[in-house]
Amino acid sequence: MAGEYPNQYATPLFEAIINYAKGRKVSFHTPGHKHGVSIPQEFRNFVGEKIFDCDLTLLEEVDSLHDPRGVIKEAQRLAAKAYGADYAFFLLNGTSGGNHAMILTVCDPGDKIIIPRNTHRSVLAGVVLSGTTPVYVMPERDEAMNMLLNVTPEAISQAIREHPDAKAVLVTHPTYEGIGADVKEIGRRAHEAGMFFLVDEAHGPHLKFHRDLPVSAMDAGADICVQSSHKIISSLTQTSLLLARRTVDVLKLKRILSLLMTTSPSYILMASLDLARMQMATRGRELLSVAIMLAEDARQRINQIQGLSCFGKEIEKKCGANQLDVTKLCVRVAELGLTGYQVAQELNRKHKIQVEYADLDKILLIISIGNTERDVRRLLAALEAIARNAPKAPRGQRNHLRFPERLPEVVMSPRAAVFSTTRKVPLKEAVGKISAEVFSPYPPGIPLLNPGERISAEILGYLRDMLQRGGRIQGQSDPTLRTIKIVEQAAEQKESGPATLENQVKKRFPREPNKIETEKVGADDEKNAIGKL
Ligand SMILES: Cc1ncc(COP(=O)(O)O)c(C=O)c1O
């Protein structure tokens, strides 16, 4: 099979699926809809018939994702080649699943990992699943724009110096807003210290294919990176790619991926990855040139609209902004006297334009190879109309608060906190307690509190003010912030078993624990108490 698909125009998995569909075999296997026959008519009317022929299961002709030997193996080999990696793996749980796998592969329980404080929550989930201890690095901040930039090599070096025993350095490159890190230098420093270099490249599956975009993680020497192909290039939602080098234990990586992945991967989704790779490898430069031109043109015109501003390449002079992905348009709207939420709502309801995200003072727009000149014209006309009618605000007006400078005290690992016994308490009772959940205000997107960290009055005050100003706080279980989940009993204590009488009684009589004395009991008291049962 190897070599049967010698060039990047081939789409082995997609071709195998089409051939299988053409064969019109009778199905006595999953999926239950049998080539779409039993799919409700309403669904078929809207999407057509053919898509259901592509919805297959593990069959010899279309290979198996968990043990690829045929067309999936070939499709992954072509993807690895296109991206300059030694291995590529199709992911159907997005970059979230890839981040979990990446961390679980290089870190064992108890290991340290250096990560940015504003890392995506899937990285934190990887930390929880693997039982690693995070060492946080603060990204640079641009106060005027109320925006996070990226982490610097210097900040990473400091973390390496303070934690030379860390197993890996992980960075996000580029950020949601398109701000790249100096990945070549950070990778060099991580490797010099004997650590793995991992990159969450969720927003970078296109980087490899155009020289006017930031350097890709693989080209910068990453050991593993994960990309959300579905976010930026043309594969379907949920599909991502994990790329790796021989420097990692690839057998372990495969075992971990298999552990995390569904045993019923969608062939429609996998085919879309095969095709998206082909499209990028064969026409990426040409398609991305158009997207870049559209974005640069839009940026220039947005900057001519009074009250709006959109940073460009000049941001690369700032510390923590190594390279900009110019296809992201991060538009500051605060000088219009409106919040980003208001502008986004008007764009949506009045002009039928959806943005990627909005916050207190800006909106983010993604231009991809799927956008056209017409889209950009509509966007500009809508923004001009909104700006014309906006109340306007004095220049430099800020809707945002100053983020607390100090990170909270870390009392236990995120894993210990997440698996602890928790209790909800009213806000005013939470000071001094240990948080069992994440509180991440947006903007700026840095978690104020992670599980296992001490809750302070300063942090609670910031969270309250943020909510009052219409900001959003993500991650916590009570959106109104009236209550907070705190750690009542740490996981280690739970895991250490029923050492105390209290624990033994709770375990044996779970519904009537308060019938006995549960204050501190010595050995003699324990005997007496047992006698009472
Ligand atoms: C930086 C970053 N990493 C990872 C993810 C998760 O990606 P996915 O939605 O593909 O699981 C996101 C999603 O927004 C992200 O922004």
Side-chain angles (χ1 to χ4, degrees), residues 7-26:
N7 67 53
Q8 292 289 336
Y9 285 93
T11 48
L13 177 58
F14 179 59
E15 287 156 32
I17 290 172
I18 297 178
N19 286 338
Y20 190 88
K22 282 184 185 156
R24 305 217 147 269
K25 294 184 182 171
V26 180

Side-chain angles (χ1 to χ4, degrees), residues 93-97 99 120 122 172 176 200 202-203 228 230-231 240:
N93 187 23
T95 293
S96 302
N99 281 341
H120 186 259
S122 58
T172 306
Y176 210 170
D200 175 349
H203 299 282
S228 292
H230 69 94
K231 285 189 196 296
S240 284

Side-chain angles (χ1 to χ4, degrees), residues 2 4 23 87 106 139 159 178 188 204 237 272 297 310 313 337 354 372 393 397 440 523 532:
E4 205 174 299
Y87 306 97
V106 302
R188 195 188 64 72
T237 296
S272 83
D297 184 44
C310 178
K313 282 266 186 193
Q354 282 283 13
T372 61
Q397 168 169 310
S440 188
K532 284 190 211 161

Side-chain angles (χ1 to χ4, degrees), residues 196-489:
F196 286 105
F197 180 44
L198 313 177
V199 181
D200 175 349
E201 206 179 28
H203 299 282
H206 55 328
L207 303 184
K208 172 78 182 170
F209 304 102
H210 206 287
R211 61 163 195 254
D212 286 3
L213 295 172
V215 65
S216 72
M218 277 293 125
D219 284 349
D223 297 292
I224 311 182
C225 79
V226 194
Q227 310 175 333
S228 292
S229 319
H230 69 94
K231 285 189 196 296
I232 307 290
I233 59 174
S234 300
S235 65
L236 297 181
T237 296
Q238 283 185 222
T239 56
S240 284
L241 214 52
L242 185 146
L243 303 167
R245 293 217 172 282
R246 280 200 188 87
T247 47
V248 299
D249 179 350
V250 76
L251 290 180
K252 183 173 178 195
L253 173 58
K254 284 182 184 173
R255 275 202 312 276
I256 299 280
L257 283 170
S258 202
L259 204 69
L260 297 175
M261 239 163 5
T262 171
T263 49
S264 307
S266 159
Y267 282 78
I268 299 174
L269 298 187
M270 289 192 285
S272 83
L273 268 174
D274 197 18
L275 288 157
R277 180 273 312 154
M278 178 276 290
Q279 184 184 45
M280 273 294 118
T282 58
R283 294 181 58 214
R285 211 185 80 80
E286 157 204 346
L287 294 167
L288 287 165
S289 293
V290 175
I292 290 169
M293 293 281 287
L294 283 179
E296 290 290 36
D297 184 44
R299 172 176 283 104
Q300 198 195 343
R301 300 220 202 163
I302 287 169
N303 280 319
Q304 288 165 0
I305 301 175
Q306 210 190 344
L308 297 183
S309 60
C310 178
F311 60 83
K313 282 266 186 193
E314 73 285 351
I315 202 164
E316 294 176 355
K317 293 198 196 93
K318 296 194 179 189
C319 183
N322 189 254
Q323 292 170 296
L324 178 70
D325 172 2
V326 292
T327 62
K328 297 283 182 78
L329 299 173
C330 190
V331 184
R332 187 174 157 80
V333 302
E335 274 76 33
L336 292 179
L338 297 170
T339 65
Y341 304 121
Q342 289 169 315
V343 172
Q345 198 175 66
E346 192 163 343
L347 281 171
N348 180 18
R349 296 198 181 157
K350 203 161 161 192
H351 302 277
K352 295 193 176 168
I353 290 172
Q354 282 283 13
V355 304
E356 169 66 14
Y357 86 66
D359 65 30
L360 278 175
D361 38 30
K362 56 189 176 301
I363 54 173
L364 180 74
L365 309 152
I366 298 178
I367 305 261
S368 81
I369 60 170
N371 283 114
T372 61
E373 249 184 299
R374 194 165 162 265
D375 295 345
V376 173
R377 272 204 306 276
R378 268 185 68 177
L379 171 71
L380 292 168
L383 288 175
E384 273 162 10
I386 292 171
R388 249 194 322 275
N389 300 322
K392 306 283 187 308
R395 234 190 131 59
Q397 168 169 310
R398 292 188 188 167
N399 292 321
H400 61 280
L401 295 164
R402 231 192 135 67
F403 196 80
E405 284 297 324
R406 264 177 308 132
L407 284 179
E409 178 199 351
V410 177
V411 186
M412 61 179 68
S413 75
R415 181 182 172 89
V418 165
F419 291 107
S420 64
T421 305
T422 62
R423 181 161 60 95
K424 274 194 173 179
V425 296
L427 208 62
K428 57 181 182 308
E429 287 174 26
V431 175
K433 304 280 192 311
I434 305 163
S435 174
E437 49 188 349
V438 181
F439 291 83
S440 188
Y442 221 97
I446 301 182
L448 263 177
L449 270 175
N450 273 333
E453 295 178 345
R454 179 96 59 204
I455 303 165
S456 70
E458 184 195 17
I459 284 172
L460 291 185
Y462 183 93
L463 288 172
R464 252 187 320 235
D465 288 350
M466 188 78 195
L467 271 189
Q468 273 164 11
R469 290 180 187 219
R472 298 202 178 143
I473 297 164
Q474 300 170 339
Q476 79 280 19
S477 52
D478 180 353
T480 64
L481 218 74
R482 280 194 204 99
T483 57
I484 288 190
K485 240 195 213 174
I486 58 157
V487 172
E488 188 160 56
Q489 187 192 22

